[in-house]
Amino acid sequence: MSNGFIWSSADEPHAARRREMLRTHPEIKELYGPCSRTKYVCTLLVGLQLSLAFLLRDAPWWLIVLVAYAVGGVINQALLLAIHELSHNLAFRKPWHNRVFGVFINLPVGVPVAETFRYYHLRHHSHQGDERLDTDIPTEFEARLLRHRASKLLWLSCQGFAYALRPLFVDPKKPAASEITNLLVQVAFNVAVFYFWGGKALAYLPISSLIVMGLHPIAGHYISEHYVFREGQETYSYYGPLNVLAFNVGYHNEHHDFPYVPGSRLPKLRAMAPEFYDGLLAHQSWTATLWNFVMRPSLGGYSRIKRRVERRRD
């Protein structure tokens, strides 16, 4: 187990690969732009999740947790990954349409994340590996914790809290008006669900969000994307069947190379330029990724590439 992060003096790999890919495959630009199906799929998912919340309003807690793990969590993770798509303006052509729709599909998640996620995720792309600006990287405290199987298992089960709280310590910011609006809309919606359907219906929604970010097969994408499983490789893809439930977020090298290509077209991107991806390590299973992360002593919180970036003083 490493006692420190993997430090790199090289630039992140995606900008250079993007330039080379466009030089040899200019037809990739035909894949740019929003996917018209996204808004319909998301609206269907919102309706389905709210229908389940209504049906479970008087259910026993064991059934609520079971449905949340098996069904509701999958739906909410899909909605969270749709918010990821919307942060790149990949559902509508006008950016503000994507942001408003993001607040709407945020409602079944139970907690307001759309606007804050947009801000920090775009910084993750523009400052990948930056020791301060990339909040996708675990903190030093987390990295020290993730050195034993038991602590890694515990951390994975609570991973949702880690992702929510980390920006407050790594790169805190004053809430923007859009984030406050996101919060107020979410609170109003939650109050309405509680008033009309009761506490169990309301609890089902955030339980679904949190439970799927822990020890769940789809949660493997959080570990598979940037934890270093091969020396020198910074980003990893997964091409398995769970991509169908996750807006193809598994095509993660492809996504970072071309963040303005929607998930629905990322398989076409890979097919256009296979020579750029065939030599990269790709995960075969998100479940196996979680298992290996916990069981291998060589993997842990320090298994991330970081960069020190010189900043001018104002």
Side-chain angles (χ1 to χ4, degrees):
M1 172 66 68
S2 171
N3 291 317
F5 290 100
I6 305 165
W7 290 93
S8 174
S9 59
D11 293 336
E12 58 84 16
H14 302 288
R17 185 158 61 224
R18 176 166 55 250
R19 290 192 294 269
E20 180 63 18
M21 290 177 70
L22 287 175
R23 187 183 67 81
T24 57
H25 296 282
E27 67 275 15
I28 287 175
K29 291 184 178 180
E30 298 173 7
L31 302 177
Y32 291 6
C35 175
S36 60
R37 296 196 306 269
T38 299
K39 56 183 175 292
Y40 301 114
V41 173
C42 291
T43 301
L44 179 63
L45 291 174
V46 169
L48 179 57
Q49 184 70 317
L50 295 184
S51 298
L52 287 172
F54 174 78
L55 293 173
L56 292 167
R57 66 194 185 281
D58 296 317
W61 284 108
W62 67 265
L63 182 59
I64 290 172
V65 173
L66 179 62
V67 174
Y69 186 86
V71 183
V74 176
I75 294 173
N76 273 9
Q77 183 65 198
L79 289 174
L80 288 168
L81 292 170
I83 289 172
H84 167 257
E85 290 275 291
L86 292 164
S87 71
H88 292 287
N89 300 321
L90 293 175
F92 301 91
R93 294 200 176 275
K94 294 184 178 180
W96 75 270
H97 288 176
N98 289 276
R99 298 179 77 163
V100 171
F101 192 68
V103 172
F104 165 66
I105 68 172
N106 191 153
L107 296 176
V109 175
V111 292
V113 299
E115 281 297 310
T116 302
F117 174 83
R118 179 188 181 90
Y119 173 83
Y120 285 109
H121 181 68
L122 293 179
R123 283 163 81 87
H124 165 61
H125 273 267
S126 60
H127 299 86
Q128 181 173 313
D130 188 298
E131 61 178 333
R132 186 174 67 84
L133 299 181
D134 187 357
T135 58
D136 188 70
I137 299 173
T139 62
E140 179 70 26
F141 172 78
E142 291 174 272
R144 289 181 178 275
L145 179 68
L146 299 178
R147 302 175 70 182
H148 309 283
R149 290 176 180 175
S151 58
K152 286 191 280 187
L153 195 64
L154 176 63
W155 180 84
L156 284 174
S157 66
C158 304
Q159 194 175 190
F161 294 105
Y163 271 87
L165 297 175
R166 189 184 299 144
L168 300 178
F169 297 95
V170 176
D171 187 21
K173 63 182 287 289
K174 182 180 179 180
S178 60
E179 292 173 285
I180 295 173
T181 301
N182 191 179
L183 171 63
L184 293 176
V185 170
Q186 188 68 53
V187 169
F189 173 80
N190 289 356
V191 169
V193 171
F194 180 80
Y195 180 81
F196 290 106
W197 296 348
K200 288 185 175 180
L202 176 59
Y204 163 74
L205 299 175
I207 289 173
S208 295
S209 301
L210 288 171
I211 204 168
V212 79
M213 294 182 74
L215 300 176
H216 192 286
I218 290 183
H221 84 84
Y222 292 106
I223 302 301
S224 72
E225 292 167 357
H226 296 292
Y227 283 83
V228 177
F229 281 73
R230 172 194 279 180
E231 183 177 355
Q233 185 172 329
E234 191 163 348
T235 307
Y236 301 78
S237 290
Y238 156 81
Y239 303 119
L242 291 181
N243 275 309
V244 175
L245 306 174
F247 287 90
N248 281 332
V249 75
Y251 286 76
H252 215 66
N253 263 305
E254 293 82 351
H255 168 64
H256 271 267
D257 290 346
F258 292 92
Y260 15 80
V261 173
S264 61
R265 299 183 200 134
L266 290 178
K268 293 181 180 179
L269 168 63
R270 190 186 189 285
M272 282 182 176
E275 69 273 21
F276 288 92
Y277 298 112
D278 286 347
L280 298 175
L281 176 66
H283 293 283
Q284 303 302 312
S285 164
W286 277 338
T287 304
T289 300
L290 291 174
W291 174 267
N292 290 331
F293 181 77
V294 172
M295 300 303 292
R296 290 185 187 176
S298 59
L299 292 172
Y302 285 122
S303 302
R304 292 293 299 263
I305 292 177
K306 295 182 74 173
R307 294 178 174 83
R308 288 191 176 94
V309 180
E310 294 292 334
R311 295 182 176 83
R312 294 183 302 174
R313 294 182 179 179
D314 295 329

